[in-house]
Amino acid sequence: MHQLTLAETARALAAKEFSAVELTRGLLARIRQLDPQLNSFITVTEEPALAQAAAADARRAAGENGALLGAPLAHKDLFCTKGVLTTCASKILANFQAPYDATVVEKLAAAGAVSLGKLNMDEFAMGSASESSHFGAVKNPWDTSRVAGGSSGGSAAAVAARLISAATGTDTGGSIRQPAALTNLTGIKPTYGRVSRWGMIAYASSLDQGGPLARTAEDCALLLGTMAGFDPKDSTCVDAPVDDYLAMLNQPLAGLRIGLPKEYFGEGLDARIAEKVLAVVEELKKLGATVKDISLPNMQHAIPAYYVIAPAEASSNLSRFDGVRFGYRCENPVNLEDLYKRSRGEGFGAEVKRRIMVGTYALSAGYYDAYYLKAQKIRRLIKNDFVQAFSEVDVILGPTTPNPAWKLGEKSADPVSAYLEDIYTITANLAGIPGLSMPAGFVDGLPVGVQLLAPYFQEARLLNVAHQYQQVSDWHTRTPAGF
């Protein structure tokens, strides 16, 4: 059962080949047996999961037949879940139980999905390796001495190891697409505003976006169709119709115009990854696509702009964690200032502190114009580059990451080298456009991902291209040894 994709699981449940309770019991047993090798879960919700599975079976027995009814998944541990720990992988929220469900959690639960727990991640989603977690680093099932990517590393590792069929993640600068690439999964970051952020603990409010990680584009289409849509509780959520992603998967690619940015294939890209990317292009050409060389001239400024804007927003968002209202509080504070300083100093990890300090500095008097305002101007230039590019092509294709998964601890002493791993992904967040990563092969036994970008609200096009490629390739079917 655990080898089935989410869509295959849905069909098997509909055919009554097994029950949701049987499936859930089997996956919980796998989590108990295998997750100690990966550390992908922070919390396993065994009893609630079995209760949800039993309710799903009862709904099917009563005649319901929704695609996600009884489907097993888990949530990145920054989606609030009522009565369950929501920690953001931080000491400061290690004992926090949310009093409500995030909209994404609520929608998936209403569809009958069974949540097996909460998944490990970089603390407050700040990182590219899921090593900054208060609960320990996540390990990559393809090589447990290596990172699973970040910040949605727990989501990626759990799905790649077949502990669950799919997972929710969030993407602020590549945090769905990059771990998907490093673990041989398909992951999609929707257009900013396509999926509600209500109940999703914020890192950088103008960049964060929730989305699914799964094994196939079909699975992602199934999940995104439920997750997407307007939410009046989220002022950044867009009130626009949601496409039927599943219905559009099988459209032919004849006439599709693919853009290859010259900036993607320069210095810093592993030549073996470049080879895999170009092999995908050749397959898509066989399916009827045409290819055009394009340019994204302001991409070179993306990392410095991102690492001003995101920390600036984080410094504001994380000011609420002060030891007063909820979360960790230091012992025996001598006064209010001591309470603030020690609660935050003891509760936040090194990477979170680093970004809070950078962001506070960028917003401070005398530096706002020099840093934050200038970064926002660069952001507009990056957006304009995409608008120009999409006047010439339908999708942009390139590598998701410049390198395969690196060794645990390898970049810990040099945060900037880890930041550079996001070079191809962060532009989509700065511009707000949708992006998808799909499996494209292996280098030294480690997965490689290809990224697709499209204009605003064209998630269906990304899923269609990925699905068509997955009909003529089998990279997405490969399973890590031992799992």
Side-chain angles (χ1 to χ4, degrees), residues 11 22 28 37 108 114 124 145 154 159 164 173-174 180 209 242 254 256 282 380-381 417 428 431 433 439 444 481:
R11 290 189 279 270
E22 289 171 326
L28 288 168
Q37 301 174 48
L108 290 169
V114 177
F124 281 99
S145 71
V159 177
I164 45 177
Q209 187 60 195
V242 177
L256 180 80
E282 290 305 311
R380 173 49 68 99
L381 293 175
S417 69
I433 61 173
D444 293 337

mmCIF file of all heavy atoms in Angstrom, residues 11 22 28 37 108 114 124 145 154 159 164 173-174 180 209 242 254 256 282 380-381 417 428 431 433 439 444 481:
data_model
loop_
_atom_site.group_PDB
_atom_site.id
_atom_site.type_symbol
_atom_site.label_atom_id
_atom_site.label_comp_id
_atom_site.label_asym_id
_atom_site.label_seq_id
_atom_site.Cartn_x
_atom_site.Cartn_y
_atom_site.Cartn_z
ATOM 1 N N ARG A 11 -7.832 5.725 -5.889
ATOM 2 C CA ARG A 11 -8.552 4.745 -6.717
ATOM 3 C C ARG A 11 -8.714 3.416 -5.979
ATOM 4 O O ARG A 11 -9.766 2.769 -6.072
ATOM 5 C CB ARG A 11 -7.814 4.553 -8.047
ATOM 6 C CG ARG A 11 -7.907 5.775 -8.963
ATOM 7 C CD ARG A 11 -7.371 5.499 -10.350
ATOM 8 N NE ARG A 11 -5.928 5.572 -10.431
ATOM 9 C CZ ARG A 11 -5.237 6.670 -10.718
ATOM 10 N NH1 ARG A 11 -5.870 7.817 -10.926
ATOM 11 N NH2 ARG A 11 -3.920 6.649 -10.799
ATOM 12 N N GLU A 22 -7.034 0.463 7.538
ATOM 13 C CA GLU A 22 -5.927 -0.462 7.246
ATOM 14 C C GLU A 22 -4.713 0.275 6.702
ATOM 15 O O GLU A 22 -3.572 0.013 7.108
ATOM 16 C CB GLU A 22 -6.391 -1.513 6.226
ATOM 17 C CG GLU A 22 -7.385 -2.524 6.775
ATOM 18 C CD GLU A 22 -7.978 -3.402 5.679
ATOM 19 O OE1 GLU A 22 -8.169 -2.905 4.542
ATOM 20 O OE2 GLU A 22 -8.256 -4.579 5.973
ATOM 21 N N LEU A 28 1.403 4.155 9.859
ATOM 22 C CA LEU A 28 1.870 4.461 11.213
ATOM 23 C C LEU A 28 2.952 3.484 11.656
ATOM 24 O O LEU A 28 3.931 3.870 12.309
ATOM 25 C CB LEU A 28 0.697 4.443 12.193
ATOM 26 C CG LEU A 28 -0.284 5.617 12.096
ATOM 27 C CD1 LEU A 28 -1.542 5.339 12.906
ATOM 28 C CD2 LEU A 28 0.370 6.924 12.555
ATOM 29 N N GLN A 37 15.370 6.954 11.426
ATOM 30 C CA GLN A 37 16.516 7.158 10.524
ATOM 31 C C GLN A 37 16.486 8.534 9.870
ATOM 32 O O GLN A 37 17.523 9.020 9.400
ATOM 33 C CB GLN A 37 16.505 6.103 9.417
ATOM 34 C CG GLN A 37 16.580 4.664 9.878
ATOM 35 C CD GLN A 37 16.410 3.720 8.706
ATOM 36 O OE1 GLN A 37 17.043 3.875 7.659
ATOM 37 N NE2 GLN A 37 15.555 2.713 8.865
ATOM 38 N N LEU A 108 -8.413 20.387 3.773
ATOM 39 C CA LEU A 108 -8.022 18.996 3.520
ATOM 40 C C LEU A 108 -8.771 18.035 4.446
ATOM 41 O O LEU A 108 -9.166 16.942 4.031
ATOM 42 C CB LEU A 108 -6.507 18.837 3.668
ATOM 43 C CG LEU A 108 -5.692 19.516 2.559
ATOM 44 C CD1 LEU A 108 -4.217 19.550 2.918
ATOM 45 C CD2 LEU A 108 -5.880 18.788 1.224
ATOM 46 N N VAL A 114 -6.546 12.192 5.820
ATOM 47 C CA VAL A 114 -6.147 11.720 7.156
ATOM 48 C C VAL A 114 -4.759 12.254 7.458
ATOM 49 O O VAL A 114 -3.790 11.923 6.762
ATOM 50 C CB VAL A 114 -6.146 10.180 7.214
ATOM 51 C CG1 VAL A 114 -5.653 9.698 8.576
ATOM 52 C CG2 VAL A 114 -7.546 9.646 6.930
ATOM 53 N N PHE A 124 11.195 28.112 11.992
ATOM 54 C CA PHE A 124 10.430 29.212 11.392
ATOM 55 C C PHE A 124 10.644 29.300 9.879
ATOM 56 O O PHE A 124 10.552 30.373 9.291
ATOM 57 C CB PHE A 124 10.738 30.552 12.078
ATOM 58 C CG PHE A 124 10.019 30.705 13.377
ATOM 59 C CD1 PHE A 124 10.662 30.445 14.572
ATOM 60 C CD2 PHE A 124 8.684 31.076 13.418
ATOM 61 C CE1 PHE A 124 9.999 30.562 15.794
ATOM 62 C CE2 PHE A 124 8.010 31.200 14.636
ATOM 63 C CZ PHE A 124 8.668 30.936 15.820
ATOM 64 N N SER A 145 23.295 10.605 5.178
ATOM 65 C CA SER A 145 24.370 11.497 5.614
ATOM 66 C C SER A 145 24.210 12.879 4.990
ATOM 67 O O SER A 145 25.026 13.766 5.238
ATOM 68 C CB SER A 145 25.735 10.916 5.231
ATOM 69 O OG SER A 145 25.945 10.968 3.828
ATOM 70 N N GLY A 154 11.239 17.986 6.190
ATOM 71 C CA GLY A 154 10.507 16.870 6.782
ATOM 72 C C GLY A 154 9.408 16.380 5.863
ATOM 73 O O GLY A 154 9.193 15.170 5.719
ATOM 74 N N VAL A 159 7.639 11.890 2.415
ATOM 75 C CA VAL A 159 6.997 11.425 1.185
ATOM 76 C C VAL A 159 7.965 10.576 0.370
ATOM 77 O O VAL A 159 7.592 9.522 -0.158
ATOM 78 C CB VAL A 159 6.481 12.617 0.348
ATOM 79 C CG1 VAL A 159 5.870 12.129 -0.963
ATOM 80 C CG2 VAL A 159 5.441 13.412 1.134
ATOM 81 N N ILE A 164 4.288 8.571 3.981
ATOM 82 C CA ILE A 164 2.983 9.152 3.684
ATOM 83 C C ILE A 164 2.899 9.343 2.172
ATOM 84 O O ILE A 164 3.919 9.320 1.478
ATOM 85 C CB ILE A 164 2.772 10.519 4.383
ATOM 86 C CG1 ILE A 164 4.019 11.402 4.237
ATOM 87 C CG2 ILE A 164 2.391 10.347 5.834
ATOM 88 C CD1 ILE A 164 3.888 12.775 4.820
ATOM 89 N N GLY A 173 11.211 30.984 -0.448
ATOM 90 C CA GLY A 173 12.276 31.267 -1.404
ATOM 91 C C GLY A 173 12.702 30.022 -2.154
ATOM 92 O O GLY A 173 13.794 29.956 -2.718
ATOM 93 N N GLY A 174 11.836 29.003 -2.118
ATOM 94 C CA GLY A 174 12.147 27.723 -2.755
ATOM 95 C C GLY A 174 11.943 26.539 -1.836
ATOM 96 O O GLY A 174 12.349 25.417 -2.136
ATOM 97 N N ALA A 180 11.980 19.179 -2.829
ATOM 98 C CA ALA A 180 11.422 18.246 -3.810
ATOM 99 C C ALA A 180 12.523 17.776 -4.766
ATOM 100 O O ALA A 180 12.633 16.584 -5.077
ATOM 101 C CB ALA A 180 10.285 18.900 -4.589
ATOM 102 N N GLN A 209 4.096 31.101 0.659
ATOM 103 C CA GLN A 209 2.944 30.502 -0.012
ATOM 104 C C GLN A 209 2.934 29.002 0.245
ATOM 105 O O GLN A 209 3.965 28.330 0.142
ATOM 106 C CB GLN A 209 2.996 30.778 -1.519
ATOM 107 C CG GLN A 209 1.761 30.342 -2.283
ATOM 108 C CD GLN A 209 0.465 31.021 -1.825
ATOM 109 O OE1 GLN A 209 -0.616 30.577 -2.156
ATOM 110 N NE2 GLN A 209 0.552 32.094 -1.052
ATOM 111 N N VAL A 242 -10.681 28.785 -9.418
ATOM 112 C CA VAL A 242 -9.614 27.781 -9.389
ATOM 113 C C VAL A 242 -9.799 26.837 -10.568
ATOM 114 O O VAL A 242 -10.887 26.289 -10.771
ATOM 115 C CB VAL A 242 -9.646 26.983 -8.063
ATOM 116 C CG1 VAL A 242 -8.586 25.899 -8.061
ATOM 117 C CG2 VAL A 242 -9.450 27.930 -6.880
ATOM 118 N N ALA A 254 1.855 20.238 -27.849
ATOM 119 C CA ALA A 254 2.141 20.790 -29.181
ATOM 120 C C ALA A 254 2.017 22.310 -29.161
ATOM 121 O O ALA A 254 0.997 22.855 -28.731
ATOM 122 C CB ALA A 254 1.187 20.202 -30.212
ATOM 123 N N LEU A 256 3.759 24.369 -27.308
ATOM 124 C CA LEU A 256 4.234 24.973 -26.055
ATOM 125 C C LEU A 256 5.590 25.648 -26.287
ATOM 126 O O LEU A 256 6.508 25.049 -26.836
ATOM 127 C CB LEU A 256 4.374 23.898 -24.975
ATOM 128 C CG LEU A 256 4.877 24.404 -23.614
ATOM 129 C CD1 LEU A 256 3.734 25.029 -22.835
ATOM 130 C CD2 LEU A 256 5.507 23.261 -22.811
ATOM 131 N N GLU A 282 14.900 18.061 -24.366
ATOM 132 C CA GLU A 282 14.808 17.242 -25.584
ATOM 133 C C GLU A 282 13.552 16.377 -25.574
ATOM 134 O O GLU A 282 12.895 16.214 -26.606
ATOM 135 C CB GLU A 282 16.061 16.370 -25.723
ATOM 136 C CG GLU A 282 17.322 17.153 -26.055
ATOM 137 C CD GLU A 282 17.159 18.010 -27.312
ATOM 138 O OE1 GLU A 282 16.694 17.481 -28.348
ATOM 139 O OE2 GLU A 282 17.470 19.215 -27.246
ATOM 140 N N ARG A 380 10.858 44.711 -8.154
ATOM 141 C CA ARG A 380 10.015 45.126 -9.273
ATOM 142 C C ARG A 380 10.726 44.864 -10.611
ATOM 143 O O ARG A 380 10.093 44.426 -11.575
ATOM 144 C CB ARG A 380 9.647 46.602 -9.134
ATOM 145 C CG ARG A 380 8.907 47.203 -10.335
ATOM 146 C CD ARG A 380 7.731 46.323 -10.770
ATOM 147 N NE ARG A 380 6.678 46.310 -9.801
ATOM 148 C CZ ARG A 380 5.571 47.046 -9.859
ATOM 149 N NH1 ARG A 380 5.378 47.859 -10.867
ATOM 150 N NH2 ARG A 380 4.655 46.949 -8.926
ATOM 151 N N LEU A 381 12.023 45.090 -10.666
ATOM 152 C CA LEU A 381 12.767 44.817 -11.896
ATOM 153 C C LEU A 381 12.735 43.327 -12.240
ATOM 154 O O LEU A 381 12.609 42.947 -13.412
ATOM 155 C CB LEU A 381 14.216 45.292 -11.759
ATOM 156 C CG LEU A 381 14.429 46.810 -11.641
ATOM 157 C CD1 LEU A 381 15.904 47.111 -11.392
ATOM 158 C CD2 LEU A 381 13.936 47.518 -12.889
ATOM 159 N N SER A 417 26.877 30.311 1.669
ATOM 160 C CA SER A 417 26.955 29.225 0.676
ATOM 161 C C SER A 417 25.638 28.465 0.604
ATOM 162 O O SER A 417 25.235 27.995 -0.463
ATOM 163 C CB SER A 417 28.110 28.269 0.999
ATOM 164 O OG SER A 417 27.846 27.520 2.168
ATOM 165 N N ALA A 428 10.997 33.443 -8.226
ATOM 166 C CA ALA A 428 9.556 33.194 -8.336
ATOM 167 C C ALA A 428 8.805 33.783 -7.151
ATOM 168 O O ALA A 428 7.690 34.298 -7.304
ATOM 169 C CB ALA A 428 9.282 31.692 -8.447
ATOM 170 N N ALA A 431 8.738 37.641 -7.459
ATOM 171 C CA ALA A 431 7.777 38.079 -8.480
ATOM 172 C C ALA A 431 6.359 37.616 -8.181
ATOM 173 O O ALA A 431 5.403 38.166 -8.734
ATOM 174 C CB ALA A 431 8.209 37.558 -9.848
ATOM 175 N N ILE A 433 5.135 34.613 -8.945
ATOM 176 C CA ILE A 433 4.652 33.678 -9.964
ATOM 177 C C ILE A 433 4.712 32.239 -9.467
ATOM 178 O O ILE A 433 5.418 31.936 -8.504
ATOM 179 C CB ILE A 433 5.466 33.800 -11.272
ATOM 180 C CG1 ILE A 433 6.947 33.460 -11.021
ATOM 181 C CG2 ILE A 433 5.304 35.190 -11.876
ATOM 182 C CD1 ILE A 433 7.783 33.393 -12.298
ATOM 183 N N PRO A 439 11.143 15.555 -10.821
ATOM 184 C CA PRO A 439 12.332 14.715 -10.926
ATOM 185 C C PRO A 439 12.856 14.644 -12.357
ATOM 186 O O PRO A 439 12.078 14.561 -13.309
ATOM 187 C CB PRO A 439 11.836 13.342 -10.460
ATOM 188 C CG PRO A 439 10.641 13.636 -9.610
ATOM 189 C CD PRO A 439 9.996 14.824 -10.260
ATOM 190 N N ASP A 444 25.424 10.891 -9.253
ATOM 191 C CA ASP A 444 26.067 10.141 -8.162
ATOM 192 C C ASP A 444 25.043 9.522 -7.219
ATOM 193 O O ASP A 444 25.221 9.503 -6.003
ATOM 194 C CB ASP A 444 27.016 11.045 -7.366
ATOM 195 C CG ASP A 444 28.224 11.489 -8.182
ATOM 196 O OD1 ASP A 444 28.556 10.795 -9.159
ATOM 197 O OD2 ASP A 444 28.819 12.525 -7.852
ATOM 198 N N ALA A 481 16.717 3.223 -1.609
ATOM 199 C CA ALA A 481 16.993 1.895 -1.055
ATOM 200 C C ALA A 481 16.707 1.861 0.440
ATOM 201 O O ALA A 481 17.026 2.796 1.165
ATOM 202 C CB ALA A 481 18.447 1.516 -1.326
#
